[in-house]
Amino acid sequence: MKKIVIILSLVVGAKSFAQEIEVKNLKKHVYFLADDKMKGRGTGSEENLKAAKYIAKEFKKYKLQPLGEDGYFQGFEAKVKKVKVVDSIRSAKNVIAFLDNKAEKTIVIGAHYDHLGEGKQGSSLAKDSYGMIHNGADDNASGVAGLLELARFYSKNKVTEPVNFLFIAFGAEELGLVGSRYFVKHPTYDLSKVHWMLNMDMIGRLNKESGVSIIGYGTSPTFETIFNEINPTDFVKFYTGYEGRGGSDQTSFYEKDIPVLFFHTGGHDDYHKPTDDADKVDYKSLKGILNLEKAVIEESFKIETMPFRSTDKTEK
């Protein structure tokens, strides 16, 4: 009898372990992507491609279905506009994976993996930063770590959810949301089946007084229903913003009348500077944000349809 109890305990324990967001995994991803060896993951660089391959390798490990145009990859070109450079047209990739639960509706979970490279493509806010590595730990290795950890969780939790998941790591966001805009113009999945889209960009530096911002609350009337079921005391502090636009890849989906939520912990002194390093990320709070996202995702399972409501009346 004791042997049976021990075996059952091990099985339950292993299952519970698989169902937890793990800080060690978040650290592993951020420290890899934001290492000096990755030279800031600038679009078109060898290191940017290395980051894309790293993400694809993780997707393959989770046995997710490739849904790019070349395995997990969807290639496109992006242009550097803010500074004059010889190689202004650069090759880039989205990395796309699908968790097929044989459901009618699909949730898109996204985050961009590119950053500013060595300060040669513009957008750096540091003085005399040309040639300096911008590691982009918060922007946006933190979001990619969240993307990969949610991909691991939903693919390994031994539960068949009532939705499918489309996981997308976007390229060339820093050059003007190029990867996400390319995807919605050349989708590798039927956008009419997308229930809603969750985007993560800079979720690694939580200000515990203000909380994590959740932009896009107003893009569907059903988000109010979902958040009414979320007990704020169970999660990290958060506040909601009505508008669907807002400087990151959810905007591309919003412009296609898809409801969106964008999780973001706000600006800080290291934003777009060489000092945005992995040791400054708050991994415990990052885990807390992902647990909040999971709660929102799982409440949305109960919603049959997600009618889109434009938050900008002038654009219709």
Side-chain angles (χ1 to χ4, degrees):
M1 181 62 72
K2 286 184 178 179
K3 289 183 178 180
I4 293 174
V5 171
I6 290 171
I7 291 170
L8 286 173
S9 297
L10 288 171
V11 171
V12 172
K15 185 175 181 180
S16 298
F17 178 79
Q19 291 180 335
E20 291 292 327
I21 299 298
E22 293 293 329
V23 166
K24 68 177 184 179
N25 294 333
L26 298 173
K27 283 186 174 181
K28 169 193 162 189
H29 299 318
V30 173
Y31 271 88
F32 177 86
L33 292 168
D35 190 280
D36 281 351
K37 293 179 181 178
M38 297 298 287
K39 297 182 180 179
R41 310 184 306 280
T43 297
S45 68
E46 292 182 8
E47 293 77 19
N48 184 268
L49 178 58
K50 186 176 179 179
K53 289 180 177 179
Y54 175 86
I55 295 164
K57 184 178 179 180
E58 293 296 309
F59 285 159
K60 185 176 181 180
K61 185 193 303 182
Y62 310 146
K63 299 182 179 179
L64 296 171
Q65 178 183 334
L67 214 64
E69 295 164 348
D70 178 15
Y72 292 106
F73 302 121
Q74 179 187 44
F76 59 95
E77 290 186 339
K79 186 174 182 179
V80 177
K81 298 179 180 179
K82 291 190 176 182
V83 295
K84 291 184 178 181
V85 290
V86 175
D87 59 336
S88 62
I89 304 299
R90 300 182 179 182
S91 297
K93 297 180 186 298
N94 293 325
V95 192
I96 309 168
F98 188 58
L99 177 56
D100 188 359
N101 287 323
K102 310 300 181 186
E104 294 183 1
K105 54 194 178 185
T106 295
I107 295 174
V108 176
I109 300 179
H112 78 88
Y113 68 92
D114 64 303
H115 194 52
L116 306 186
E118 296 175 278
K120 300 175 183 179
Q121 65 181 50
S123 298
S124 177
L125 296 179
K127 186 179 179 180
D128 300 325
S129 61
Y130 187 90
M132 297 179 67
I133 296 171
H134 292 59
N135 282 322
D138 186 28
D139 186 13
N140 186 35
S142 65
V144 176
L147 171 72
L148 292 175
E149 190 62 352
L150 289 177
R152 184 192 67 83
F153 175 85
Y154 284 114
S155 63
K156 299 295 184 181
N157 65 355
K158 301 181 181 179
V159 175
T160 301
E161 289 82 10
V163 301
N164 312 308
F165 290 98
L166 186 63
F167 299 100
I168 311 178
F170 298 108
E173 188 270 355
E174 299 288 3
L175 297 181
L177 317 185
V178 183
S180 56
R181 284 188 166 142
Y182 186 87
F183 175 80
V184 297
K185 289 179 181 178
H186 306 88
T188 59
Y189 183 79
D190 186 353
L191 295 182
S192 69
K193 296 180 180 179
V194 174
H195 199 38
W196 62 285
M197 188 268 187
L198 184 154
N199 185 42
M200 293 170 279
D201 193 350
M202 296 178 62
I203 55 172
R205 303 282 287 270
L206 181 70
N207 182 323
K208 293 180 174 61
E209 291 184 6
S210 58
V212 59
S213 171
I214 307 175
I215 296 168
Y217 179 85
T219 60
S220 176
T222 51
F223 281 134
E224 182 176 357
T225 302
I226 289 168
F227 277 90
N228 282 340
E229 298 301 318
I230 302 294
N231 184 350
T233 62
D234 291 340
F235 302 100
V236 297
K237 188 175 183 179
F238 66 89
Y239 62 98
T240 55
Y242 201 76
E243 177 58 72
R245 299 181 187 276
S248 193
D249 292 305
Q250 84 288 342
T251 300
S252 302
F253 290 79
Y254 171 77
E255 290 171 349
K256 292 294 183 180
D257 292 354
I258 294 171
V260 298
L261 289 179
F262 166 34
F263 287 73
H264 178 57
T265 53
H268 47 75
D269 289 342
D270 300 308
Y271 171 67
H272 276 205
K273 294 179 182 178
T275 50
D276 182 10
D277 292 324
D279 62 346
K280 295 180 179 178
V281 170
D282 179 352
Y283 295 95
K284 184 177 179 180
S285 294
L286 176 52
K287 174 180 177 177
I289 291 167
L290 294 175
N291 282 331
L292 171 60
E293 291 177 358
K294 281 172 61 265
V296 174
I297 290 168
E298 287 157 23
E299 281 297 329
S300 78
F301 294 167
K302 305 172 186 177
I303 306 297
E304 289 298 321
T305 61
M306 293 280 285
F308 177 80
R309 179 173 63 203
S310 171
T311 58
D312 182 357
K313 295 180 181 179
T314 64
E315 73 176 12
K316 291 296 181 183

